[in-house]
Amino acid sequence: METLVYIALFSPFVGSLFAGLLFGNSPRKMFTGWVASALIFVTFVSSVTLAYHVATVGAIHVQMMDWISAGDLSIPFGFVIDQISVTMMVVVSLVSTIVHIYATGYMDHDKSYNRFFAYLSAFVFAMMILIMSDNFAGLFIGWEGVGVCSWLLVGFWYHKADRPFEENPSISPSWAANEAFIMNRVADLGMLVGIFLIYWNIGSLQYDVVFDAMPHLADGILVSIAIALFIGAMGKSAQFPLHTWLTDAMEGPTPVSALIHAATMVTAGVFLVIRANPLYSLEAVHGVSMFIASLGTFVAFYAATMALIARDIKRIVALSTLSQLGYMFAAAGLGAYWIALFHLAAHAFFKALLFLGAGNVMHAMDDELDIFKMGGLKNAMRGSYIYMGIASFALAGLPIMAGFYSKDAIIETAFNEGTYIIWGMLVITAGMTAFYSFRQVFFSFHGEKRYEALGFHPHDMYKYVLIAMAPLAALAISFGWFMGYYKDFIYGLNETVQYEMSHTTHHWAWLLGSIVIALALTGIFLAWKKYAGEGENAWKRDEKFEASFIYKLLENQYYVPKFYDQFIVQPYTIASAKFWEFDKKTVDGTVDDLGKACLNIGDTSRGMQNGNLSSYLNWMGVGAMIIVIIAVISSVIG
Amino acid sequence: MYETIAFYTFAISTTILFLITVMSKNVLYAMTALASGMVMISGFFFLLGADFLGVVQLIVYVGAVMALYGFAMMFFDATRDIKEKHQNPALVFLLGGLMALMFVVIFSAPIIGDNVQALYPIVEGVGNAQAVGMVLFTKYLVPFEVAALMLLVAMIAGIILAGKKMDYSLTTSEAADEEINVEEKLQADIEREKGEA
Amino acid sequence: MLEPVNISLESLNLVTLMPMLIAIGGGLLILCIDLFKDNIHKSFYVALTVLILLIDLMVTMGLNFGVEEKGFFQVLLIDGIAVLSQAIILVASMLFIPLALTSKRFHEYSYPEFFALFMFMIAGFQFMVSSDNLILIFIGLETASLSLYTLIAMHNRSNSFEAAVKYFTMGALAAGFFTMGSAILYGVSGSLELNQIATAISDRLNEPGIMILLLGGAGLLLTAFAFKLSLFPFHTWAPDVYEGASAPLAGYMSVVPKVAAFVVSMRIFEMFINLQIEWVQSMIIFLSVITMTLANLMALVQKDVKRMLAYSSISHAGFVMVAIALATDKSNTGVFLYYTLFMFTNLGAFTMLWVSRHKDRVHHERFDHPYEKFSGMIKIMPMGAVIMALFMLSLAGVPPFSIFWGKIYLMSATVDAGYLWLAVVMGLNSAIAAYYYLKLIVYMFLKEPTDAVKEEIVYYNVSKPLMVVLGFAVFVTVFSIFMVNPLIDYISTMLQASSFGI
Amino acid sequence: MDTILSILIFFPAIAGFVGFGITKGSAKIYGIAVATIELILALLLWMQFDTSNAGMQFTEKVALIADFGISYNVGVDGISLFIVVMAALITLLGIILLRPDTKNMKNMIISLLFLEMTMVGVFLTLDAIIFYLFWELSLVPMLYIVGAWGGKDRVYAAVKFFLYTFAGSLVMLVGLLAMAYLYHQANGVWSFSILDWYTLPLTEDQQFWLFLAFFAGFAIKVPMFPFHTWLPWAHGQAPTIGSVILAAVLLKMGTYGFVRFSLPILPDASVTFIPLIMALSLIMVIYTAMIAFAQKDMKQVIAYSSVSHMGIIMLGVFAMNAEGLGGSVFLMLSHGIVSGALFMLVGVIYERTGTKLMSEFGGLAAVMPIYATVFGLMLMASVGLPLTIGFVGEFLVLLGFYKISAIGTILAGSTIIIGSVYMLALFKKSFFGPVRHEKNLALKDLDKRELTALIPLVLIVVWLGVYPKPILGPIDNSAKHILTQMEAKAINPATKETIILSKKEAE
Amino acid sequence: MLEIGVNHYLILSGILFSIGFMGVLRRKNLLMLFFATEVMLNAVNIAFAAIGNYYGDLSGQMFAFFVIAVAASEVAVGLGLLIVLYKKYGSLDLDVISSMKG
């Protein structure tokens, strides 16, 4: 089994090296994509095998070699395959495989095709390290690794020029990439601090050691660790206020958005909280957990509001991702870790599907993103239409669909915990989710064929690509059915990951479910009403609404990016320039002034050397005089 | 009493004479005043029982040195009044005055120690010249010889510096590196002068 | 009647006079040879001088009996530092006199008297350092000085005359201060010999009103020696004299008269300091601090290398003067160590200037060695540039070149004496000084050559003997690290055999 | 091989001297040969090195000035070993990278070889005065390199560099002399041997002043705020090789000085001064990083980033635990490799275009993909990405310093944010976006010469990022050794408490 | 006041010395400046003679002799210098002879 672990871990790496080192600089070679995909598939197969092994035999813990050891610190390259990591592995490798295959089609015209696969596989490798690592430092490797890959991939089309913020809120791919990287680094600092705290209080970074020792630590330290780690999670999972990068990251190619910014990397934060469940379920950090839940709820709601009016097809999906991440955090914060993890997996499937579908639309529309310019695509792109529909149903949480089980469980959990405000917000958000996801579907696939006026000739994606997407669709529909099995599976991990609804909640479950479903259906209906009409009923822009404050607020993402620009980026830039000025003028200037002062004194005192013997004699006389006077005075005084 | 009168007479006259020396605009006056002042100083030496020193003062200073100055004065044609630009006369007087004040302060202190033994005592009944000679040719023989050396140096220096050979510089560019023979040139000069005469 | 004196010849200890006699005899010999034969080439005189000085040196070194020796009615005092400083003086003289052997002719070397006066000057310095009698010190000083004035003037340019006159006049004033100071000491002690003065003063130290005399006398003497050592504000002659004098003589002046003056200062001022008259110590420290600082600052703005070196020599003198104030064994050792090492570097630096001395002022209307003259030298004469740079680095106190060792030894002495702040001041001054030495390096290495910089102009004066001297200076400057230990050993042995031992 | 250290030190100098006789054309290949031999010697030393021994090895001692306690005394431990190896490596690669048409190539090679001697000498010597000797001497070739081959203001920059460092080190010299004096007071003999000084007990007051004196010398070299302003000048004007060696090796002399002198000799003062060091280092980290962001010139960005990183190293040195100290030594190496490589890279583009202004570039990633890749990798190493060399040290330093001050660590940790801000901004401006100038389209990617110089660095960056153990092990040993010495020597109980030998004991 | 002691002589010597000193500082003409130095040296001689007299010691007189000798030699050298200088500059005014400065 150990070999399998390494195979799972390193085959994406091999794929990356294959694509990058051998062909990184050469013209497009289709087979690089296929080789990379195949290698990811190997990972998937290994992951599934490992999952079976975990379910039947138990967790696996391997140590490859030492990494850093200094002082008392000893960090190995160690990997642990348990219920949590194996879930993630399966999800990640599955989505990755599909996205890889998808990308062979999607990217086939890009001249940096090979490079793309190098990055994409590297990302999977980093993600695998993140998931599989058995210590916080290893996690951090993956954490940063996915960050870099995200940077590379978001900025994949680096050659695009910057556009003004008003024209394009994400300015340019390279800008968005940098933003994502930097914002993540802010959070990483929090994570590092968490790691330091753990090390200095426990003396190890190994999960098992750390979690065993945690209950014996002082409350204050535990709270600090919990906060610090969560700050790390906030960045990667784009929680408020570190969320702006995620929507901007949509500048990257769509497969990237599907893989990284929907299914895998952004869930790393949730993964971290779940991984650290023994910590977050401690009584001492209850406050932090509640905060996590509240923040998650807030983000879920907050992102959903923005999605309501967004025009950019990828932004809508991204905002919905944000919103769903909020759900996951809400669950994790409330202690329902396995539900959060389950939703994570379900979300990965349907959101990847949604993104890939959106990618198909873009592909068809020559990278046009504005849904106002689409409409009535359903005939031209039937396959994508179906996939998008399935995914949206799943996202909206309609029965049978995966989203129904997982999301509903989260909402139920909120009710179960007695946090009714959270529950209420989540319910409302569920309604909004249904509305905006179907708004998007109807906008693009139903209604007037607005694209025709603009001269697009859409056609659907390659067949094989659509077929490759089928597993995702299947899982988007069916994944929820396995919730019971999954529960059994994950309950084998430990006590704290277990979560059961109380009897009362169970009793009310059908009612709660119906409320959510009702709201979702209302949302879908509203969307249908407004956007799906053709001819007479066709959607028209509502200028008045678009001029309203609410619309402006939402359109500008609550002015958060603007706030960052005005109050962080610009002051930073100005301060930097000022500091530079200060450095040159004052710090360096002082040194130069000292030098100049020396020269000036030299130049001035050179005046005594005027060449005239008479004044030399006078100087000598004055000197003698002074010496004698000092002599007389000091002898008189003392 | 006699000593007091003599002291003050000499003191006042030397002071005035030396003041003239340093203040006068006329070289001749200054030099005359200097010579007279030195004569007066020899008076102190006689007063202080240093007869031989007084004589030497008269001979060397008033005789030799002043003669030298006299020749120099003739060479420089300095009989006219000399104009000197004084940038800060006040400072000079201040310094001089302060210096004098300091010396007054310093020398008001009891300088003569009671316990100090004379190393080369003045023997009663021995003439000053004799005593001086005795010390000079025993204890101070070496300095005396060195003084002779110093005078030799001064002599050589005077001869070289005032010599005609200094008129032709091998150092500066005017005579650069042509292998000119200084002696020849000198000879030529002398002959030309003769011819002119 | 006086008793006739009976003096045994042995009690005169004639041998103590030998070194000076050799120098004087040498001078006279040269004068005599000149009388009999005209137009002997200068190389003959140079060789003769060097040989006589060599004998002199050997005799001097042989004088070391490990104890103080007095001769001629206690007028001559041959103790450790006398021998040591004579040795330095003689070695320096032997190193500097071959610089007369330039390929081009210069005025002063056409006089055999030049070499005679040079010998007399050395004799003067020798007398000055080997006596504790104020009269002999004074006479020796004047003999040497008068010769020196003449030697400077003999370079025969208007600048040289100006320099000589400036030096002379200020020297006369300083002589006045010296005599007045001696008079006061004589008044206080009734003696003119330093060891007896010291005894007398220590007897009278508690008398009321005596302090004013002591300090007044010390102040006047300090003025006189500050002039000789070119301490601020008595240094004003130095730059002009260095500029006016020929390079060998300027280099010579930066070492030999200073060593002599340091020895006498040591004898006089350390006497005061050892008598616990702290005023002298503070005054000297004060003078040395402003000297090194101001001289450094003024050197920064010089345009001429030789003038810059003049200021640098002033600054170095200020640096070493600290040692006199400290009056410890280590500091006294430091003085000699420093000057020995300084001698070789300065020999090299001034020789480089001398080698490049052109009769025409090609580069500047006033200066012979403006910085521009050296610009881009590395491109034209790499060897010359590297050599000059070595000397500059050594002067700046960059290890492992010679002066560094002197510098740390002196700074260490300062630290040992508890004057940490002073050591820091010394250090910072070295840093300031580095700027102007560096300036020359910058010109030589980092600038492009100007049109006027040509090999034949810069190597105008070069000749084999000069190159030998230069090579010697380079060798010592670079490998001084191996010389330092024997030097320290020798110097401290010598110091122990003098009034300052232990 | 007992004299291998002496060979290491003097071989380049002798070779440099012999180099005077080489013709101009063969100067470069001569330089490469000599530097290769030197590197092989250094590697040989590494192979012979006993990694289990934390103390000094291969020691040699010859009295030079016995009366004054100065001797030629060399030795190597885990801390100096790798810096020496790095110095040899960087010199070799720097010479390889030299353009064949560099003017006065021979002078350059000779200067570099002399510089190499001084660099190796500084790190290997165990005698304070000889240390000082090499320390000062290193300024001279550097002055020449910056001043003769540099940019427009090269002379100003070179002189500033020289004088600034020189001034500081003279104050340090006073400290060294005072130290020797105290040793003499206590033991009656003179000694400048550091190992002897380690055993000398000092009062807190003495330590305080000595620390300040040492600080003056080391802080300027590091360079610590506010003494850093020579560095942007020196880097900005220096030729590529000058910047590379300056950043990679010369700056390390300062931090090495702190490790070798200040810490073990003055443990109590070191602890006392932690707040000051921390304050200055934090200013260095944040303030200079912000200045780096404001730069327009690529090289200046990297120059200021060097200052910022040196701040992190300083924090590690004063972390008073093996994690921090070992980490900072490792960071010295990694910063040497990475900043060296970055300067080389900037040099590459400067050679091609004659400018270093970021505004002149843009879109280079498309034109020069290999170049961009290498640059990107070094950039990532510079911002401390895990699995690159840059992370290990930075992580350990921050980890170690956390014990001293949490707030300080968080502020210092902001380096991972603002470091990436300026680095990514640099990368975006020069490599991303459309190609701004037509002529840049014709730029050639890295050629063989440049690849030869850069690929070893790339490999090291990855190798040591993934498997730092071969280096970290000996460093850690020696770091612990130093801390043990400090703890033993400390007279103040508070100091002993601050120094953490092993966390298990501390608990 | 009336009884003449050594201090009287010394003070007189000091005052004369100061006069000479003032002359040295004041004079611009080199020849006259030399006169002033003579004054200074002479003033010191009085002090030596007086001290010697009061100690009954001959050393003071000795010093005075040598001072005279020195003064004489200085005159010789000084005048030699003045002559060459005068030949070059045609003047003995110090304000004229100041080509070296800075």
Side-chain angles (χ1 to χ4, degrees), chain B residues 99 103 105-107 109-120 123 125-126 130-131 134 137-143 146-147 149-150 152-154 156-157 160-161 165-173 175-183, chain C residues 1-3 5 7 24 28 31 72-75 104-108 110-111 113 117 120 127 133 135-136 139 142-143 146-147 150 153-157 161 177 180 184 187-191 193 196 204 208-209 212-213 216 220 357 359-360 460:
Chain B
M99 196 57 130
F103 277 119
V105 173
I106 291 173
F107 286 134
I111 191 165
I112 298 301
D114 305 329
N115 313 329
V116 175
Q117 290 293 314
L119 291 170
Y120 306 98
V123 185
V126 177
Q130 256 180 313
M134 201 66 204
F137 290 108
T138 54
K139 171 79 183 174
Y140 290 108
L141 180 62
V142 173
V146 181
L149 175 69
M150 179 174 69
L152 175 64
V153 166
I156 298 172
I160 289 175
L161 291 175
K165 218 175 150 191
M166 286 299 275
D167 295 352
Y168 303 99
S169 176
L170 282 171
T171 305
T172 47
S173 56
D177 271 317
E178 307 146 35
E179 285 292 316
I180 49 153
N181 191 328
V182 178
E183 301 297 331
Chain C
M1 270 309 284
L2 282 172
E3 303 285 320
V5 273
I7 298 152
I24 296 168
L28 292 173
L31 287 178
F72 279 92
F73 312 98
Q74 276 73 46
V75 169
K104 303 294 182 290
R105 295 167 7 123
F106 285 92
H107 197 96
E108 60 262 53
S110 64
Y111 289 97
E113 288 90 347
L117 280 177
F120 294 150
F127 278 119
N133 189 304
I135 294 181
L136 189 51
I139 302 283
E142 285 300 322
T143 311
L146 291 174
S147 313
T150 316
M154 280 168 78
H155 193 47
N156 203 350
R157 290 163 86 172
F161 302 141
F177 286 122
M180 199 55 169
I184 296 177
V188 174
S189 64
S191 169
E193 298 191 10
Q196 282 159 10
R204 296 189 63 185
I212 196 167
L213 288 162
L220 289 169
R357 163 69 187 282
K359 288 188 176 180
D360 293 315
Y460 185 72

Side-chain angles (χ1 to χ4, degrees), chain B residues 19-139:
Chain B
L19 273 175
I20 293 171
T21 310
V22 299
M23 303 297 289
S24 167
K25 281 186 182 158
N26 190 304
V27 186
L28 200 59
Y29 292 171
M31 201 182 77
T32 319
L34 181 64
S36 327
M38 286 174 172
V39 174
M40 294 297 154
I41 281 180
S42 69
F44 289 114
F45 295 153
F46 294 124
L47 265 183
L48 290 165
D51 307 349
F52 188 69
L53 185 62
V55 174
V56 170
Q57 168 87 0
L58 283 176
I59 295 171
V60 175
Y61 255 125
V62 188
V65 175
M66 281 304 134
L68 214 54
Y69 276 127
F71 284 122
M73 206 178 72
M74 286 181 246
F75 181 84
F76 300 130
D77 187 23
T79 41
R80 283 170 283 126
D81 275 5
I82 283 166
K83 291 194 197 82
E84 291 176 308
K85 274 181 276 171
H86 299 292
Q87 275 95 357
N88 36 11
L91 175 75
V92 172
F93 287 114
L94 180 76
L95 283 176
L98 263 178
M99 196 57 130
L101 181 70
M102 287 302 131
F103 277 119
V104 171
V105 173
I106 291 173
F107 286 134
S108 305
I111 191 165
I112 298 301
D114 305 329
N115 313 329
V116 175
Q117 290 293 314
L119 291 170
Y120 306 98
I122 299 166
V123 185
E124 287 299 319
V126 177
N128 180 250
Q130 256 180 313
V132 165
M134 201 66 204
V135 178
L136 196 58
F137 290 108
T138 54
K139 171 79 183 174

Side-chain angles (χ1 to χ4, degrees), chain D residues 91-165:
Chain D
T91 311
L92 171 62
L93 298 182
I95 293 178
I96 290 175
L97 191 69
L98 276 177
R99 276 168 75 132
D101 59 342
T102 308
K103 57 174 181 165
N104 291 329
M105 176 65 92
K106 192 166 128 185
N107 293 1
M108 170 67 97
I109 295 290
I110 293 171
S111 318
L112 282 174
L113 293 177
F114 277 110
L115 186 60
E116 185 167 20
M117 167 192 80
T118 62
M119 293 188 302
V120 174
V122 162
F123 294 113
L124 289 181
T125 183
L126 295 178
D127 185 276
I129 292 296
I130 306 298
F131 172 84
Y132 182 81
L133 188 158
F134 285 122
W135 171 283
E136 295 287 50
L137 215 48
S138 72
L139 300 177
V140 179
M142 202 61 207
L143 170 88
Y144 184 40
I145 290 173
V146 175
W149 286 274
K152 187 163 55 71
D153 294 326
R154 58 184 193 274
V155 172
Y156 171 80
V159 170
K160 187 166 195 162
F161 160 73
F162 190 100
L163 286 182
Y164 215 142
T165 325

